[in-house]
Amino acid sequence: MSCKAIRNARIITPTGEVRGAVVYDEVTGTITAVLDQKTAGELGALPTDCLDARGGYVVPGGVDGHVHLGGFGEISIADDFYQGSRAALAGGTTTVVDFCEPKPDESAAHCIAVRKQEAQNSAADYAFHFVLSEEYREQLANIDAIYAEGIRNFKLFTIYENTTLSMENIREIFHFFSARGERPPFLIHAEEPEEIARLRAEQNEHSADMRLLAATRPAHTEICMVRALRQAALETGMRVCIAHTTTAGAVEEKRGDTSDFLLETCPHYLAFTEEKLVGESGALYIMTPPLRTEGDRLALWEGMKDGRIAMLSTDHCPYHRADKLGRGFTRVPCGVDGIQTRMLYLFSEGVLRRGMSLRRYVELTSENAAKFYGLYPRKGCIQPGSDADLVVLESDGLTQWNLERCEGSVDYTIYNGMTFQGEIAAVVRRGKTVYDEERLNAPKGSGQFLSL
Ligand SMILES: [Zn+2]
């Protein structure tokens, strides 16, 4: 019998909470029924092989729409696909979306082939964004070949070597798709490059004072780009999500706006401020855009609660300590960990400590990303026919976070020493129990590529 169930659960479905059991088929990996307590009792036939949620919540497996696993750049990212996906699963995230970013002169086909090879070790399900670089004209000329590889969403940057696109370039890209009658999802890194270059030129780039990173990438360099991108998206009807939003001003841009212009933020911007950049350990908190002020942090929380922010992604991109420390502020590789703590962090800090609804929690951690990137309702949803990607969350108890809890290859975590309320009790990915009673069972290569 391949039928299994999680019983005694408070199941968060698209239409509300159901108290009862979610039944799924271990072989097909899909949900077969969501039953309330009474119906489950009347049927009297729940499979004997049940996980007991003991009254805890069951939410869809997390969809993290922005992660970086495996190496690119001169310094390797700490987690490869296997290590990072283990951490994802242990933290309740069953689907990750990573990137195919062609190097200069590298063909789209070659880049995609290499990334698919690297991702074969993943234990979580995965999809890719394609980065349209400065060679975007050539890449767009071969767009059908990219689609044929199952990749239909795009990442754009307004900054960084090889990927800097001007607003003119971006409008050209938007018009290209609009002329084809297509509205693919765009995830866009929004920072104004010229102002940042000007501010950096005024500083000593060898300085190890990490506060200079924040000082040379001030809030307005994000806000002005968000404003320009929103305008271009509205004009061309394109679907745009701003990657890793950090500022109160950017959240303000979304007020009253119900269009497909979305904001993503990351747990580190909700958890920390630029005070972490002070002193020698400041380098361990370097990512771009940088950590901001307490006012920005609180505005992001407001946006999370009222829906102006649509997605909580991690931008998981950890480096080993030795690679972060002892460099000038312009030379520190950018990125921090977060893939394993995202779901628990928001459950603790959003739901249990700030009164966020469970519906909103699901939207932010899986549903909205699944919808935006074309994975819904296979992912991001508990209903018959959807993949049985399920997370059991328990409200009682405390989880003390430290390095020993971290899967993957990180040798520090920015969440070290934090106490989260609640815990991730169990995780099911396509019908297989991959995490239960603090034991991870995530075979190498058991993740599936999600062709879009
Ligand atoms: Zn990123």
Side-chain angles (χ1 to χ4, degrees), residues 66 68 99 155 244 315:
H66 185 164
H68 301 273
F99 298 84
K155 174 80 183 278
H244 40 52
D315 198 5

Side-chain angles (χ1 to χ4, degrees), residues 297-371:
R297 192 179 79 84
L298 297 176
L300 291 176
W301 268 116
E302 283 308 305
M304 293 279 290
K305 284 178 72 176
D306 68 22
R308 281 176 293 163
I309 293 174
M311 296 175 209
L312 184 70
S313 311
T314 58
D315 198 5
H316 181 80
C317 188
Y319 292 90
H320 291 126
R321 285 181 83 91
D323 291 329
K324 293 287 257 190
L325 297 171
R327 296 166 184 269
F329 81 97
T330 63
R331 291 258 155 237
V332 181
C334 295
V336 294
D337 69 303
I339 207 167
Q340 193 175 346
T341 37
R342 180 183 73 124
M343 300 282 286
L344 179 58
Y345 174 79
L346 190 62
F347 184 59
S348 170
E349 303 309 301
V351 175
L352 299 177
R353 291 183 174 150
R354 285 180 172 80
M356 174 182 284
S357 74
L358 263 296
R359 272 297 302 149
R360 188 91 199 95
Y361 175 82
V362 167
E363 286 172 3
L364 284 160
T365 54
S366 64
E367 184 178 312
N368 286 349
K371 284 179 172 167

Side-chain angles (χ1 to χ4, degrees), residues 59-70:
V59 298
V63 177
D64 189 340
H66 185 164
V67 306
H68 301 273
L69 305 175

Side-chain angles (χ1 to χ4, degrees), residues 38-251:
K38 186 161 163 283
T39 315
E42 279 166 6
L43 290 178
L46 279 185
T48 42
D49 198 358
C50 272
L51 283 170
D52 187 347
R54 292 182 293 173
Y57 295 106
V58 174
V59 298
V63 177
D64 189 340
H66 185 164
V67 306
H68 301 273
L69 305 175
F72 72 102
E74 51 202 89
I75 301 167
S76 295
I77 294 169
D79 284 337
D80 64 16
F81 262 96
Y82 178 52
Q83 294 159 333
S85 64
R86 285 173 61 85
L89 290 175
T93 290
T94 48
T95 301
V96 296
V97 192
D98 205 307
F99 298 84
C100 292
E101 179 169 353
K103 298 182 177 72
D105 296 323
E106 186 185 24
S107 73
H110 184 264
C111 168
I112 292 169
V114 169
R115 291 298 281 157
K116 281 191 172 174
Q117 184 67 34
E118 289 171 353
Q120 274 186 353
N121 286 335
S122 181
D125 289 353
Y126 58 95
F128 287 111
H129 304 288
F130 188 86
V131 178
L132 292 171
S133 68
E134 287 168 14
E135 293 159 43
Y136 66 90
R137 290 199 180 112
E138 206 179 315
Q139 291 154 355
L140 292 179
N142 294 303
I143 194 73
D144 290 321
I146 296 174
Y147 286 168
E149 291 290 340
I151 299 172
R152 307 188 80 90
N153 37 313
F154 299 95
K155 174 80 183 278
L156 309 180
F157 291 85
T158 62
I159 194 163
Y160 290 128
E161 205 178 324
N162 186 45
T163 59
T164 304
L165 301 178
S166 67
M167 279 311 300
E168 205 175 306
N169 300 150
I170 290 172
R171 278 173 196 276
E172 184 186 326
I173 291 167
F174 286 178
H175 283 297
F176 170 88
F177 285 102
S178 147
R180 288 172 62 102
E182 294 170 354
R183 300 176 71 230
F186 289 96
L187 180 64
I188 308 186
H189 181 122
E191 286 185 295
E192 210 287 307
E194 283 163 25
E195 172 81 343
I196 290 171
R198 191 184 65 76
L199 292 167
R200 262 166 76 145
E202 291 172 2
Q203 304 294 342
N204 170 11
E205 62 174 315
H206 302 295
S207 168
D209 183 350
M210 296 301 148
R211 286 174 302 179
L212 290 177
L213 186 94
T216 55
R217 307 176 97 96
H220 69 263
T221 57
E222 173 177 277
I223 299 163
C224 70
M225 287 311 304
V226 169
R227 197 170 292 154
L229 287 164
R230 175 169 179 269
Q231 196 56 39
L234 292 179
E235 278 168 26
T236 54
M238 287 297 116
R239 299 193 294 135
V240 167
C241 179
I242 299 295
H244 40 52
T245 306
T246 61
T247 57
V251 177

